Amino acid sequence: MALVRGLIEGRQPDDPLPVRVSLAEWDMKDSFDELLTGHLIKAGTSEERATWMVRNGFVLPVLDGLDEMDPGLTDADRNPRRGPDGRQLPDPEAPRALAALKVLGNHGAMVSRFPLILLCRTRHYDALPSGSHLEHAVRVDIDPMDHGRVVEHLTTVFRGEARWLAFVRDLPAHPVLRRALTTPWWLLLLKAVYHRRGDPSELFGCATERALKDRLLSLFIPAVLDLRPAPYDAARVRDWLGVIARHLRNGPGAGERVDIHRPQLWPIAGPARVRFCDSVAAAVVFLALTLPLLLFRESPAPWLFGTVGIGVVLLVWEVSRQAGDRPPCVPWGRVFSGATLTLVIDTLPVALVLSVLGGLLALPAAWLAGTFGLASLVSFLPALGVLWSVLMGVRGVTGPGVTHAFTGTYAPDVNAAVRWRYVLRGDLLLGCAMFVAAGISIVMGRWVMSFSDELVLSSVPVPDVVTFGLVAAALQWVMVFGGGRRYLVFLLCVRGRLPRRLGRFLRWSHEGGLLRTSGGAYQFRHRELQQWLDAG
């Protein structure tokens, strides 16, 4: 961050704009230009302007965290392999880092016009095969802080405090502690732990660097609670964060994940259990939407009840197989916004066109059925034609509607993507769009079929056709958009392994310095903190 600030301060009007980009967020399926463009869009730049800036070299990418793209080295049991200093060894075969270096290496031929900066821990970079290193690059190594700078910093921060003056005076006689304090992370921990109270000289009793770091990490959470009081105790905070740390190691995408998204934590409560409960909840929601359409009518067709039953079976089967990890979100105040207008523009015309096509398909089908004497099929084709129109119409909502209106507009800034109420609003807004698209599809499909001489629209009453179409729309909505529902099911199933008010706990952990933010996700403040919690 100091580098980015320095580049901005020394920037001339025609120089590219320094932009920090976290490589841990890079989905290697996207190109490098798509990574930069997407980052600018999330920051509030329009897609057209972001593309123009990247293509014309007006962005100076500061690529941070090549060493955070992959986990460290592990043994056969997936336990971390540590070096003499107690730190996990880097993996020389880190697949995502090597893939990123390959992409950046191809970019090197254009570096005179499109410069970039790559940051990585030295030993992680050196552990990678030498052939993968960047060829068109100037390498700058940052040396550890020397003892004089550490003493100067502590003396300045804690000026006049006797306990810190005694600690600084005796520090040269303890090489283990001196060596540990050469990195900003451990120096920050030292200041955080003994900021208000306690004697830092007690650390002189730690004979090894591992014992020293364990001691500092064990005191970090109590120090945070001291600075930011909360209705938690240190043991519970450590247990809850440990559960999340072990999930990142053992859960889906194990070893590759450092981001903490609340909607992605549901496997902690047991993947099979949450999927089963979510299937039951989805079936209840589907029945709550569809049964009133049947029960509040005088004489609904019996086949509609069979249709609802088949829908329940299909819904339970599909929801039990879903991951449900990346639901769309709608922050408060943005429901009636340009993104919603984009959703309407992207979905309703598509529904209008596709529903007409669905009705047109019923016309030759009716002619063929009449030719072969299949009168029963002809009489039921109006309902089937409307069903096809609805399925085609709502496809615009599940496809371009989500992609354009949500992914490109609602940036996960300030952890919007990890707030359950935003996810629930996204589900409800898309549900409204789907039912509007279904209504248009029913009307248009019915209108197109009215031009056929073969079809007898009165063979299936209009209320039955409308009910049939709405049942199809409800099935699609409950099946596709259920991020908020699954998260609520997860909270009911977690049973004390995490706090009930998980969002408030994560926000408190972030404000206290235990977590940091990266885009729309939380991350542990430091990889060594995550590993320590995982081991605990």
Side-chain angles (χ1 to χ4, degrees):
M1 296 306 298
L3 173 63
V4 173
R5 286 196 295 267
L7 291 170
I8 292 176
E9 291 172 358
R11 177 177 175 267
Q12 299 300 316
D14 294 333
D15 291 341
L17 178 68
V19 177
R20 177 189 172 272
V21 180
S22 173
L23 287 178
E25 300 177 353
W26 189 4
D27 184 350
M28 298 307 299
K29 297 177 183 178
D30 298 332
S31 68
F32 182 57
D33 286 353
E34 289 174 338
L35 169 69
L36 300 181
T37 303
H39 190 82
L40 294 176
I41 291 174
K42 289 180 181 180
T45 307
S46 67
E47 182 177 357
E48 182 180 2
R49 184 172 180 82
T51 303
W52 178 84
M53 290 177 66
V54 171
R55 288 180 178 176
N56 291 276
F58 285 98
V59 175
L60 173 60
V62 181
L63 307 175
D64 187 15
L66 182 73
D67 51 294
E68 297 179 352
M69 297 186 73
D70 301 276
L73 207 58
T74 58
D75 57 22
D77 297 327
R78 300 174 67 183
N79 296 316
R81 292 180 56 184
R82 304 185 185 277
D85 59 355
R87 299 179 183 178
Q88 188 175 11
L89 296 173
D91 185 2
E93 299 180 358
R96 296 184 66 207
L98 290 176
L101 285 175
K102 183 177 180 180
V103 173
L104 298 178
N106 296 333
H107 180 81
M110 302 181 293
V111 76
S112 60
R113 293 180 53 229
F114 303 102
L116 59 85
I117 299 173
L118 175 67
L119 298 108
C120 180
R121 286 181 175 84
T122 302
R123 66 173 188 161
H124 284 73
Y125 190 76
D126 290 340
L128 299 173
S130 57
S132 65
H133 292 180
L134 298 180
E135 297 180 358
H136 304 267
V138 175
R139 174 165 170 166
V140 179
D141 289 319
I142 301 177
D143 294 329
M145 294 182 295
D146 57 36
H147 175 66
R149 289 186 178 275
V150 173
V151 170
E152 179 185 0
H153 177 71
L154 292 177
T155 304
T156 302
V157 173
F158 300 103
R159 188 184 305 273
E161 295 192 35
R163 58 193 177 110
W164 284 101
L165 293 177
F167 174 78
V168 170
R169 183 186 65 245
D170 298 335
L171 184 59
H174 298 83
V176 173
L177 187 55
R178 282 186 57 183
R179 188 166 55 249
L181 295 182
T182 57
T183 61
W185 162 240
W186 294 108
L187 184 60
L188 178 142
L189 272 186
L190 174 70
K191 294 189 298 179
V193 167
Y194 296 103
H195 177 72
R196 282 191 171 184
R197 57 178 61 89
D199 185 4
S201 298
E202 69 174 3
L203 298 175
F204 293 150
C206 298
T208 64
E209 190 170 342
R210 184 71 266 163
L212 170 66
K213 292 180 177 180
D214 284 341
R215 177 62 178 168
L216 282 174
L217 288 169
S218 65
L219 295 174
F220 186 35
I221 293 177
V224 171
L225 281 165
D226 186 36
L227 291 171
R228 301 191 65 85
Y232 320 119
D233 57 68
R236 296 179 72 185
V237 171
R238 177 175 176 175
D239 290 342
W240 290 336
L241 293 177
V243 168
I244 296 175
R246 285 185 287 276
H247 166 70
L248 295 179
R249 175 169 59 89
N250 300 320
E256 298 181 1
R257 294 174 58 184
V258 295
D259 292 344
I260 303 170
H261 287 280
R262 280 171 63 189
Q264 297 177 7
L265 296 178
W266 62 268
I268 292 176
R273 181 183 182 190
V274 172
R275 282 193 170 106
F276 172 77
C277 294
D278 190 29
S279 300
V280 174
V284 171
V285 173
F286 175 67
L287 291 174
L289 291 172
T290 55
L291 286 183
L293 298 174
L294 303 178
L295 299 179
F296 295 150
R297 289 178 50 198
E298 294 183 0
S299 56
W303 57 268
L304 288 175
F305 289 95
T307 302
V308 172
I310 295 174
V312 170
V313 174
L314 292 175
L315 182 64
V316 170
W317 168 255
E318 180 62 27
V319 171
S320 65
R321 298 167 57 244
Q322 289 178 353
D325 289 341
R326 297 191 180 277
C329 67
V330 182
W332 178 250
R334 302 183 186 178
V335 175
F336 300 102
S337 64
T340 305
L341 179 61
T342 301
L343 177 65
V344 172
I345 295 174
D346 284 342
T347 57
L348 298 189
V350 173
L352 186 66
V353 174
L354 294 181
S355 61
V356 170
L357 295 176
L360 289 174
L361 289 176
L363 302 183
W367 179 79
L368 290 174
T371 302
F372 291 100
L374 301 175
S376 57
L377 178 59
V378 173
S379 63
F380 198 67
L381 269 176
L384 292 179
V386 167
L387 172 63
W388 183 258
S389 296
V390 169
L391 294 179
M392 295 291 288
V394 299
R395 183 61 59 90
V397 180
T398 59
V402 176
T403 302
H404 296 166
F406 287 85
T407 306
T409 307
Y410 289 134
D413 54 338
V414 200
N415 285 280
V418 296
R419 297 189 180 182
W420 175 75
R421 63 180 181 273
Y422 295 165
V423 175
L424 182 61
R425 289 189 193 120
D427 292 343
L428 295 178
L429 181 58
L430 286 165
C432 293
M434 288 189 71
F435 281 107
V436 171
I440 293 175
S441 300
I442 292 171
V443 172
M444 296 305 300
R446 184 92 175 171
W447 175 71
V448 171
M449 287 186 290
S450 67
F451 292 97
S452 173
D453 295 331
E454 300 288 341
L455 291 173
V456 181
L457 298 184
S458 60
S459 61
V460 180
V462 173
D464 289 348
V465 172
V466 173
T467 301
F468 195 36
L470 294 180
V471 166
L475 179 63
Q476 283 285 306
W477 175 57
V478 177
M479 187 180 296
V480 176
F481 303 112
R485 184 193 66 242
R486 174 158 292 193
Y487 181 71
L488 181 58
V489 170
F490 156 65
L491 289 182
L492 296 176
C493 294
V494 75
R495 283 191 176 181
R497 297 185 64 190
L498 291 174
R500 290 293 183 186
R501 301 193 65 176
L502 180 57
R504 185 175 70 172
F505 170 70
L506 292 176
R507 286 193 295 274
W508 172 84
S509 300
H510 171 248
E511 293 167 356
L514 296 171
L515 302 177
R516 65 185 181 186
T517 56
S518 177
Y522 291 111
Q523 294 179 348
F524 283 100
R525 176 67 176 267
H526 197 276
R527 181 67 65 89
E528 291 190 79
L529 174 61
Q530 179 178 341
Q531 293 169 351
W532 179 77
L533 291 166
D534 181 12

